[in-house]
Structure formats: C-alpha cells, structure tokens
Amino acid sequence: MNRRQFLSSSIAATLGLSACGGSSSSSNGGGGNTSFKRPFFIPEELTGNLQNGRMQYNLTLKTGLSRFLDNNINTATWGINGKFLGPTLRLKNGDSVDIHYQNTLPEATTIHGHGMHVPANMDGGVHQIIPAGQTWTSSYTVNQHASTNWYHPHLMGKTAEHVMHGLAGLIIIDDSNTETLDLPKQYGVDDIPVIVQDRRFNADGSFDYNPSRREIMHGWKGDTYLVNGVIKPYLELEAKQIRFRILNGSNARIYNFAFASGRSFKQIATDNALLETPVELTQLRLSPAERAEIVVDFSDAKGKNDIFIDSASNAELFKVNIKNQDASNITQLPNSLITLAQLNPADAVNTRSFTLSGRRGQLVINGQSMNKTVINESIPINNIEIWEITNAMGMDHNFHIHATHFQLLERNGSANAVAANERGYKDTVYIPPRESVKVILKMTDYADTTKPYMYHCHILEHEDAGMMG
Ligand code: C2O
Ligand code: CU
Ligand code: CU
C-alpha cells in the first residue's frame, strides 16, 4: 500500500494527473519523449468465413519491418497477417473451425492455441511442426466457456525466440452466456484487448535478444514495454464501464497491473472462464501467459485521464483519456456472471506431484528434462486428479497445463491463501520462489495414446531449457 501510494503520487506529480479539460493534448516538451503520443493499436478482429458449415480462418506467418521507436528506425519483426503480433480470432462455442496457418517464414515453427480445449493433434504443441513454406490447419469444434485465450509458437527450444520476434495473438471465445450478460462487448470500443510484452532494442532498432546463462535461469526481461506492439500509447474512452482483456504476453516478466491513480476495478474472468462474481482489486498480478478480464468504471472521470502501470517495475504502460461527454451504450456489470462446475477433492482418484528444480545447470520437472519422444505422464480420461506442484527453487516459475483448465485448491497447503480472483478456471498458475500449489483437474474428451499434450513452466526461457513434460 505504501509503495503504491508513493508510486501514484510520484507519477501524478510527473505527469499531471488531473482534468485535461478537453484542450489539445499537453506536451511534456523535449523532442525524444514518445510517451502517450501514439494511438493505442487494436488488433484486427477475424470472425471467420462460413464454408460448408465450418468457420474458416486464414493466417499467414510472415516477416516484416515494424516502427516502434521514434527515430525513423525500423525493427525486423515477425507477424501474422501483419508485421507484428496477429489478429484477434473470434470463435463461438459450438462452432466447427478450421484455422489455416501458412508459414512464409524462413524457418519451421508451430502455433499452439493456449487455453484451447482441443484434440492433441490440433493443439499446435511441439509435435505439430509447420515447416517453412507449408500450411498447417487446426480443425476442431469449440467446446468450452467464453474466455480470452491466445495463440503463439511452441517449437521445441525456440518458443522464446519466436514469440520475441512477434508471433502471438488473442483468441476470444463467446458463448450464449456472454452474449446475454450486460458486459461491455464492443470490440475496440469498450472491450479492449491488451497484450503486454517487454523488449530490449539495439541502437540499430533490432530487438536485442541474446539471453545470457543468467538471464535464462532468471527469465529474460526487457526494459521497454509494448502494449499491442506500441510503446506507451494513449487510448480514448467514453466515461463508462470499460472491459480490458489483459494478456501477459511477456517471456518472463511478472506484472502487477494497476492504475496510477489507485483506481479500483473488477476482475470478471480468469484464464478459461468468467468468475462466478466480479472481484474488486486495485492490483492484478499476472505471470507469463495468464489472462484476466477486468471491468473499470470511468463514469466518474469525464475529461480526466489515468495511466495503466506495472507497479512491480514502476513502468507506465498506456494512458487512458476519458472523453468529456456523455457516454453511449452504457452497461451495468451484473453481480452474478456464471455458475462454474466445481471438482470436489473428495472425488479425486489420484494425486501427482511435480517438482520444478535445477539439476546440473538444467531446469527440470521431477528431475527430467523435456524429451519429445517420451510421454512422462498418462492420465486416464475423466479421472479427477490432484496435482501438487512445487517450485523448489529461489526464483519465479509458473505452471501451465494443456488440454484442460484446472481449479486452484491451495497455496502452500492453505485453501485460504488462494485469492478470490484465482477461484475460477485457470490453465496457468504463478508459483513464487519455494512455494507450492495444489490444483484439481479432470481430462475430458480427446483421449490419445500417441499424441501427447504438454505441461510446463511458461517462463519461455525455462520451457526452452527443458522445464516441460
Ligand atoms: Cu502457452 Cu504450452 O503454452
Ligand atoms: Cu498452452
Ligand atoms: Cu520457470
């Protein structure tokens, strides 16, 4: 609390957090300052084309030149249907989809649908390689709750580098529940995608990504923040409830998202579904690959502004300018969002333990480094299982499971230590140094004895270093 107050007052003092009165934007002076001068970028929304009863999505992975910096310098990047990042795929629960990934890059990659409940051979994990020049199609019927998921490369040993180049995008799933709830849902207007990443630049504009041994161990962190591929953008919003779908798309950085003013907000969704009821927060911690949907009420902020920050690193991410006029299409956040089926620990038939540790300079799970040809765990379909995951190291890790969501039962042996905003469906959980979590899950559908799914630490340098099974 002290820290945030210090932070908000210092940022407020530096940036003049007050009514801007509708005059033309104030300048901080100084030619090199790009803060809040670029518009917020909303990735294109791809809703698919219906063909023979199946929705078709066409994605082309390609190289490009992006302009992040303010000195007319280009950065070589990779993107999907564009120069950097990719479009937001909009799927509807129950739809049958074919997502075609055409790889025009100079090398092989894979594209995984993170958070998607799909057959193992459609998962886009380390086994579904897309060679350079080829197209791979992920076909499935959407079979899960409305949620904000994402797609990214998953090539063994190369995931960090391929994500760093720019391959990532959101997958938004809608269902009949989210279509009827009174939530902000105009994409790019009051329903805003927010992909947060960190990068480092060389003097020639290229991405500086040469992780040292130490950076691989501790997770590589950049010194410049991108929001949907833009450094410190500004966003114009109406004075009403606004929904943000936030993805920590960084390789290793753990964020503590907040507003500089200390403004509170309500988290309405975790990784894989809405929360049963909104949870009020002033700080939101997300480790790599975790998502959260939040609703922020700006109805009291006509003509004012605020700054979305990472309070863990004191970084400013983007500025919101609230229009000095009456808002249209106002929504009123309901108190009850969904009823989530809960798995009961008493019904668990098996407990598995996973220990994340270091062994002879390697990062391992249960003493083993990822081997593509080994199936480490076989999970009978419809088994209710408890997984105890321990971070045995003095550094950050998290844990992601493909194929299904889980529910967090305990942190460090305590059910009370599970925060209210973690009591929903999740596929990735942060595990601080020397801590442990206990989750419960059930693998439903898509049994496959030969094509495995993955579980791993989602700090990309760790995953690439073998902390995966
Ligand atoms: Cu985000 Cu194994 O993936
Ligand atoms: Cu995944
Ligand atoms: Cu890790």
Side-chain angles (χ1 to χ4, degrees):
M1 177 170 176
N2 290 336
R3 182 173 178 180
R4 202 193 74 233
Q5 281 174 341
F6 166 73
L7 179 73
S8 2
S9 56
S10 64
I11 287 177
T14 323
L15 294 153
L17 255 193
S18 59
C20 60
S23 63
S24 64
S25 66
S26 63
S27 161
N28 288 325
N33 192 341
T34 53
S35 293
F36 313 129
K37 293 198 180 114
R38 289 157 199 249
F40 196 94
F41 178 72
I42 304 287
E44 182 200 357
E45 192 180 32
L46 270 196
T47 51
N49 299 312
L50 189 61
Q51 252 175 47
N52 302 322
R54 305 183 61 85
M55 298 300 284
Q56 306 297 307
Y57 298 80
N58 289 305
L59 299 170
T60 304
L61 319 186
K62 52 186 179 187
T63 59
L65 289 176
S66 298
R67 186 63 65 82
F68 301 107
L69 305 168
D70 61 344
N71 40 8
N72 288 339
I73 284 181
N74 286 320
T75 305
T77 49
W78 290 4
I80 302 121
N81 294 3
K83 297 168 178 175
F84 186 74
L85 299 179
T88 297
L89 308 186
R90 199 88 198 205
L91 312 185
K92 201 173 164 217
N93 190 26
D95 277 1
S96 294
V97 304
D98 298 311
I99 306 173
H100 308 285
Y101 294 102
Q102 189 194 354
N103 181 8
T104 73
L105 298 170
E107 55 186 281
T109 191
T110 81
I111 298 286
H112 163 57
H114 181 124
M116 299 305 294
H117 176 53
V118 301
N121 63 339
M122 297 298 162
D123 195 42
V126 301
H127 300 85
Q128 285 86 47
I129 292 174
I130 320 173
Q134 306 221 346
T135 298
W136 174 72
T137 301
S138 181
S139 299
Y140 51 85
T141 298
V142 184
N143 179 17
Q144 61 191 104
H145 286 300
S147 45
T148 303
N149 296 318
W150 64 302
Y151 56 95
H152 65 75
H154 215 303
L155 190 70
M156 185 112 163
K158 288 272 194 180
T159 296
E161 191 184 313
H162 288 190
V163 172
M164 177 67 44
H165 283 318
L167 298 186
L170 293 180
I171 303 175
I172 297 179
I173 303 174
D174 301 295
D175 65 14
S176 51
N177 181 37
T178 48
E179 274 163 8
T180 53
L181 282 174
D182 193 17
L183 297 172
K185 56 185 79 150
Q186 301 171 77
Y187 181 78
V189 177
D190 61 12
D191 184 353
I192 311 289
V194 181
I195 303 173
V196 185
Q197 300 175 304
D198 56 347
R199 292 291 183 273
R200 260 184 242 157
F201 291 90
N202 291 310
D204 67 358
S206 57
F207 283 140
D208 173 6
Y209 185 67
N210 275 309
S212 65
R213 219 189 139 63
R214 190 173 183 282
E215 284 170 325
I216 290 171
M217 288 306 275
H218 290 270
W220 184 93
K221 295 187 185 80
D223 56 10
T224 304
Y225 299 80
L226 301 178
V227 178
N228 300 343
V230 183
I231 299 170
K232 287 198 191 182
Y234 70 87
L235 175 64
E236 308 272 341
L237 296 169
E238 288 194 78
K240 60 174 182 174
Q241 293 186 348
I242 304 289
R243 176 189 198 168
F244 295 96
R245 300 175 187 260
I246 306 165
L247 162 67
N248 179 350
S250 300
N251 285 25
R253 187 178 284 283
I254 291 152
Y255 293 89
N256 216 353
F257 296 114
F259 284 93
S261 65
R263 174 181 294 280
S264 68
F265 48 87
K266 294 202 165 138
Q267 185 172 347
I268 61 165
T270 52
D271 300 331
N272 307 101
L274 292 171
L275 284 159
E276 293 198 318
T277 57
V279 175
E280 184 161 350
L281 301 169
T282 54
Q283 304 264 338
L284 168 69
R285 182 178 66 190
L286 290 184
S287 69
E290 286 186 289
R291 289 86 66 207
E293 294 177 31
I294 63 169
V295 170
V296 190
D297 189 352
F298 290 112
S299 58
D300 63 344
K302 257 187 219 173
K304 299 196 173 140
N305 57 55
D306 208 339
I307 296 172
F308 192 67
I309 61 169
D310 169 33
S311 71
S313 65
N314 285 0
E316 298 165 332
L317 302 174
F318 65 91
K319 183 180 188 183
V320 293
N321 294 326
I322 308 300
K323 294 179 185 168
N324 197 5
Q325 64 189 47
D326 288 340
S328 56
N329 298 313
I330 292 169
T331 59
Q332 199 48 57
L333 184 63
N335 246 319
S336 164
L337 301 172
I338 195 172
T339 303
L340 294 174
Q342 314 274 352
L343 296 173
N344 184 347
D347 297 332
V349 296
N350 193 14
T351 299
R352 292 174 206 255
S353 299
F354 297 86
T355 301
L356 312 186
S357 66
R359 194 200 55 186
R360 287 189 241 117
Q362 277 199 310
L363 293 170
V364 293
I365 301 179
N366 289 345
Q368 288 175 290
S369 182
M370 171 71 177
N371 179 338
K372 261 181 92 166
T373 64
V374 167
I375 293 181
N376 301 86
E377 304 281 336
S378 292
I379 298 131
I381 200 149
N382 290 327
N383 253 18
I384 295 178
E385 302 206 348
I386 289 174
W387 289 18
E388 296 172 332
I389 309 147
T390 303
N391 175 358
M393 303 178 78
M395 63 176 72
D396 287 318
H397 291 297
N398 68 7
F399 199 77
H400 166 51
I401 305 175
H402 287 221
T404 192
H405 60 262
F406 54 77
Q407 291 168 256
L408 193 48
L409 294 175
E410 292 175 7
R411 281 192 176 276
N412 303 316
S414 156
N416 290 332
V418 177
N421 67 322
E422 295 183 313
R423 295 172 186 269
Y425 287 1
K426 291 191 56 64
D427 60 47
T428 306
V429 60
Y430 173 51
I431 315 174
R434 308 228 174 260
E435 295 198 8
S436 65
V437 299
K438 195 189 269 191
V439 306
I440 189 166
L441 56 85
K442 178 163 81 164
M443 296 288 173
T444 58
D445 318 295
Y446 317 129
D448 192 322
T449 52
T450 57
K451 307 258 181 349
Y453 294 100
M454 262 61 64
Y455 56 85
H456 55 91
C457 175
H458 217 291
I459 289 177
L460 299 183
E461 288 76 22
H462 293 178
E463 157 180 354
D464 282 342
M467 193 171 257
M468 177 157 67

